[in-house]
Amino acid sequence: MTPLRSADELTPGMSFDLGGFVLPRAEVLEFAGRYDPQPFHLDEEAARHSVFGRLVASGLHTYSASLGHLIRSGLLSEINLAGGGAQLTWPAPLEPDEPVTMKLVVEEIRTSRSKPEMAVAKLRYLVAIARDGTVVLDAVGTHFLKR
């Protein structure tokens, strides 16, 4: 993907198709074991008796993978300075080994009041199951970007 050279290239409503990724079962289990050790992320049998009825990836893992996917895409490689938080929702669970697609949408972009050489962007991460479009992550992240 061609990197942006300035946050000034962004306008609200712009969207970028970032392709897709997969969270392999072994990685789902490893992440859950280290950072989100709930039974429905770790154990098939326990997961069958959970609200999900099956093993599912941690939402935090899905978000972390999405952020990594965005950075690896190269889109922001020349302008990303830092993050400033995120609002996260997981409208549906994500099963291990399920291919997903990711779209990035510019929700808001403004010049920083204290540092005019920097922009503050609200970027929506939409991650959906590739086969049917079911959204598994809807997150709005704040990014500080070079102008």
Side-chain angles (χ1 to χ4, degrees):
M1 179 162 280
T2 303
L4 297 170
R5 292 187 305 264
S6 169
D8 295 333
E9 296 177 54
L10 298 172
T11 57
M14 288 179 81
S15 67
F16 300 89
D17 178 1
L18 300 180
F21 61 91
V22 173
L23 296 182
R25 186 177 194 284
E27 189 178 299
V28 166
L29 295 172
E30 179 185 354
F31 185 96
R34 293 186 70 187
Y35 304 110
D36 194 356
Q38 299 184 73
F40 44 82
H41 298 319
L42 287 170
D43 180 84
E44 291 280 354
E45 184 59 30
R48 272 194 278 283
H49 301 289
S50 75
V51 67
F52 303 110
R54 64 200 184 283
L55 190 73
V56 296
S58 166
L60 296 173
H61 187 189
T62 306
Y63 174 69
S64 296
S66 300
L67 178 59
H69 189 71
L70 168 60
I71 298 304
R72 282 188 295 279
S73 78
L75 180 67
L76 305 179
S77 62
E78 295 180 17
I79 64 171
N80 196 54
L81 298 170
Q87 296 175 332
L88 310 173
T89 59
W90 299 282
L94 176 60
E95 293 182 45
D97 301 313
E98 182 73 58
V100 294
T101 60
M102 182 173 172
K103 182 165 84 168
L104 187 74
V105 179
V106 179
E107 294 291 318
E108 179 185 319
I109 184 92
R110 66 174 177 79
T111 301
S112 168
R113 288 184 283 280
S114 61
K115 296 181 180 178
E117 70 280 3
M118 185 170 67
V120 180
K122 301 280 186 183
L123 304 177
R124 181 175 297 276
Y125 303 26
L126 290 169
V127 177
I129 294 174
R131 68 179 157 75
D132 66 9
T134 300
V135 175
V136 296
L137 173 68
D138 184 349
V140 177
T142 300
H143 288 258
F144 301 107
L145 306 172
K146 288 182 193 175
R147 293 190 62 231

